[in-house]
Amino acid sequence: MGEELMRKVWSICADRYGAALPDVIFNRLQQELQNITANGFSEDYLSTSGICLELQHRNALQICLGTVGNSFVAYLLGITEINPLPPHYRCPHCKRVTFVSDVLDGFDLPPQDCPVCRTPMEGDGHHLHVAWFTGWDGTCPPAFGEFRMTPKGIQITEQALKKHSPLTPLVFSNGRFAGWYLCNSETLSHAEWVQLTYPGHPNHIVPGVKYDCDLPVPRILVHDSVFLRKLEWLSDVTGVELSSIPMNNPAIYNAFCRALEYDTADAGNLLCTTGLCTPEELLSDRFTLWRRASKSGLSFSRLVSLYGVMHMSVRHSSALDLSTALTFSDRDSVMEYLIRQGLPPKDAFQIADNMRYGRFARMPADAYPVFAQGINDDGFFFHAAQNTEYLFPRAHNSAVVMNTVRLAWFSIYEPSAFREVQDIAHTP
């Protein structure tokens, strides 16, 4: 499996970036593949890739959320759309690559022609750390995590699981999410299966069937997404390929800026329809922060930060001001801030992971002396850590905003279809 994975990934990478890879790409890919093959994760990547590629082949939309976007191997295999490399230009014709250090996200790069062949270059790269996905030492099993899908995608996924995995897919549902465990049959009792899927619905459990399983985590966790239903419908009706929609179109970000200038009812027409926020969030204190932040203009990276701010969980709605919230709007931003403060990357990684889950908000300051020893910013980070209860990873935010931009594109260039898409929001 390891050799098959390496051959496949190196071939895909060379096809995209050329045979003579820049050191940044070569070293990143070599590091990831070494960790994956050495720890026996090759089959996880290959089987998940097979499922995702089958979904794409049958035109079923899916978003793979979470830290899977931190894996360059997962990106090359088609598991995620999020490219974790630093921001860069790539020529689709001659494969020339130019890395750019003065932007936060590759989708914010202005249009530019290739200096060699004059072909319009593509901007890409979200600058994500690989450590998040498989742990600092690369030994953490890859959890490909949550998928958003349409009903069509959910049906195809179960078929693909049977095709691409040697284990048996067993469906479960807890009312909010559905998904599959991969198990061998025979030894897991029916009572244990009921406990495993609790609070699952009885119709998802096969009476009298025993399953051999060590109570694993779900192989794939999905939920039906109205968000993707809209995109799937718009693409089918208009014939527009979603992958062809540019991420650096200023008209899209100007539309969001204009929406934020209106009252909450009018703003909701675009902001809620595109999934940036919910009607309830339009009335929150953090939405006021959005309005203030938009005065200086919006970009892809800015939207990613603002989405993180809107969905971060804090002790009190007014606990964090705009500057603090934007600085620590996602888990990756926390790690980057701590590294800039002089902390060793491994310590910054661990502290950021603890802050993501609100662990520092639930313990006294003397329980984490690393703060006192390594961070000297007059309490700026300490205040944020005390009040933050949950953060999304940046890969998750980027995946959502990427499809939000696509919906906003339809609102500008296919307005009649975009208005009609509201009618499918509550389709059963």
Side-chain angles (χ1 to χ4, degrees):
M1 282 291 183
E3 291 183 0
E4 178 186 351
L5 177 71
M6 287 192 289
R7 283 196 304 269
K8 187 173 184 178
V9 170
W10 283 113
S11 174
I12 295 171
C13 190
D15 184 62
R16 182 172 180 81
Y17 287 102
L21 294 174
D23 289 345
V24 172
I25 300 176
F26 180 87
N27 294 337
R28 173 68 176 256
L29 193 52
Q30 188 176 50
Q31 175 197 357
E32 285 198 39
L33 285 172
Q34 181 177 351
N35 289 339
I36 292 167
T37 56
N39 292 290
F41 302 145
S42 300
E43 184 177 348
D44 295 276
Y45 278 84
L46 288 171
S47 61
T48 304
S49 174
I51 293 167
C52 292
L53 292 177
E54 188 148 341
L55 285 164
Q56 295 168 25
H57 177 70
R58 298 174 64 177
N59 296 318
L61 296 183
Q62 59 88 9
I63 308 176
C64 192
L65 298 174
T67 51
V68 63
N70 291 68
S71 171
F72 186 48
V73 171
Y75 168 73
L76 293 173
L77 290 174
I79 297 171
T80 174
E81 285 190 287
I82 301 303
N83 186 335
L85 294 177
H88 60 276
Y89 284 106
R90 182 187 73 88
C91 176
H93 178 67
C94 73
K95 315 301 182 187
R96 179 182 175 87
V97 180
T98 304
F99 286 94
V100 182
S101 60
D102 58 351
V103 297
L104 297 176
D105 195 285
F107 285 168
D108 292 334
L109 290 169
Q112 179 173 300
D113 291 340
C114 176
V116 176
C117 65
R118 311 313 301 172
T119 302
M121 301 183 82
E122 299 174 356
D124 205 352
H126 305 280
H127 202 193
L128 302 173
H129 304 276
V130 65
W132 289 125
F133 191 49
T134 53
W136 183 259
D137 56 0
T139 60
C140 180
F144 291 98
E146 176 191 344
F147 286 78
R148 290 185 181 179
M149 296 183 186
T150 63
K152 174 182 176 181
I154 293 174
Q155 182 181 21
I156 292 172
T157 297
E158 184 160 17
Q159 297 169 357
L161 274 168
K162 295 175 182 177
K163 178 179 178 181
H164 294 283
S165 173
L167 302 179
T168 304
L170 304 173
V171 67
F172 77 93
S173 172
N174 63 7
R176 179 184 178 192
F177 295 104
W180 294 270
Y181 292 100
L182 297 185
C183 310
N184 294 318
S185 59
E186 289 305 320
T187 61
L188 183 65
S189 71
H190 183 260
E192 288 172 323
W193 180 246
V194 172
Q195 182 180 11
L196 174 65
T197 60
Y198 182 84
H201 302 311
N203 61 314
H204 287 291
I205 299 167
V206 182
V209 176
K210 295 184 178 182
Y211 303 105
D212 176 17
C213 176
D214 294 326
L215 304 183
V217 297
R219 181 63 177 83
I220 290 183
L221 181 68
V222 304
H223 63 87
D224 179 7
S225 171
V226 171
F227 187 76
L228 286 190
R229 287 192 194 189
K230 295 175 182 178
L231 275 175
E232 188 173 77
W233 185 89
L234 286 166
S235 180
D236 289 344
V237 168
T238 63
V240 174
E241 289 286 341
L242 298 179
S243 60
S244 70
I245 295 175
M247 293 289 121
N248 61 349
N249 186 336
I252 294 173
Y253 303 104
N254 290 338
F256 282 122
C257 285
R258 289 195 302 273
L260 287 164
E261 293 173 0
Y262 303 144
D263 61 36
T264 53
D266 289 330
N269 291 335
L270 179 63
L271 300 176
C272 294
T273 302
T274 56
L276 273 183
C277 57
T278 65
E280 295 78 14
E281 289 166 340
L282 289 175
L283 304 176
S284 70
D285 290 341
R286 272 173 284 175
F287 185 68
T288 303
L289 298 183
W290 270 52
R291 290 181 184 273
R292 289 167 49 197
S294 70
K295 299 300 182 183
S296 57
L298 294 177
S299 61
F300 186 89
S301 58
R302 192 68 157 176
L303 277 184
V304 170
S305 295
L306 290 174
Y307 182 84
V309 169
M310 184 61 73
H311 293 87
M312 69 194 301
S313 176
V314 295
R315 280 187 168 184
H316 309 289
S317 60
S318 59
L320 302 181
D321 60 23
L322 177 61
S323 174
T324 307
L326 287 173
T327 301
F328 306 114
S329 59
D330 55 57
R331 183 177 58 178
D332 301 69
S333 297
V334 175
M335 178 177 174
E336 290 161 1
Y337 176 84
L338 295 175
I339 291 174
R340 290 197 300 271
Q341 292 298 310
L343 265 68
K346 187 172 183 178
D347 289 345
F349 170 85
Q350 188 61 56
I351 291 174
D353 209 38
N354 285 329
M355 183 172 168
R356 179 199 174 184
Y357 292 108
R359 297 187 182 111
F360 294 128
R362 299 190 296 272
M363 66 172 67
D366 57 9
Y368 38 96
V370 172
F371 278 172
Q373 296 173 7
I375 303 173
N376 183 21
D377 61 0
D378 296 326
F380 181 63
F381 178 75
F382 181 76
H383 171 69
Q386 279 185 314
N387 287 285
T388 301
E389 296 180 319
Y390 186 76
L391 291 171
F392 277 135
R394 186 184 296 161
H396 176 111
N397 297 345
S398 298
V400 173
V401 171
M402 191 171 180
N403 287 282
T404 289
V405 168
R406 288 169 173 157
L407 276 171
W409 184 93
F410 282 105
S411 75
I412 298 170
Y413 297 102
E414 297 285 350
S416 59
F418 183 78
R419 286 192 294 270
E420 289 183 45
V421 84
Q422 312 295 335
D423 298 333
I424 71 169
H426 302 290
T427 302

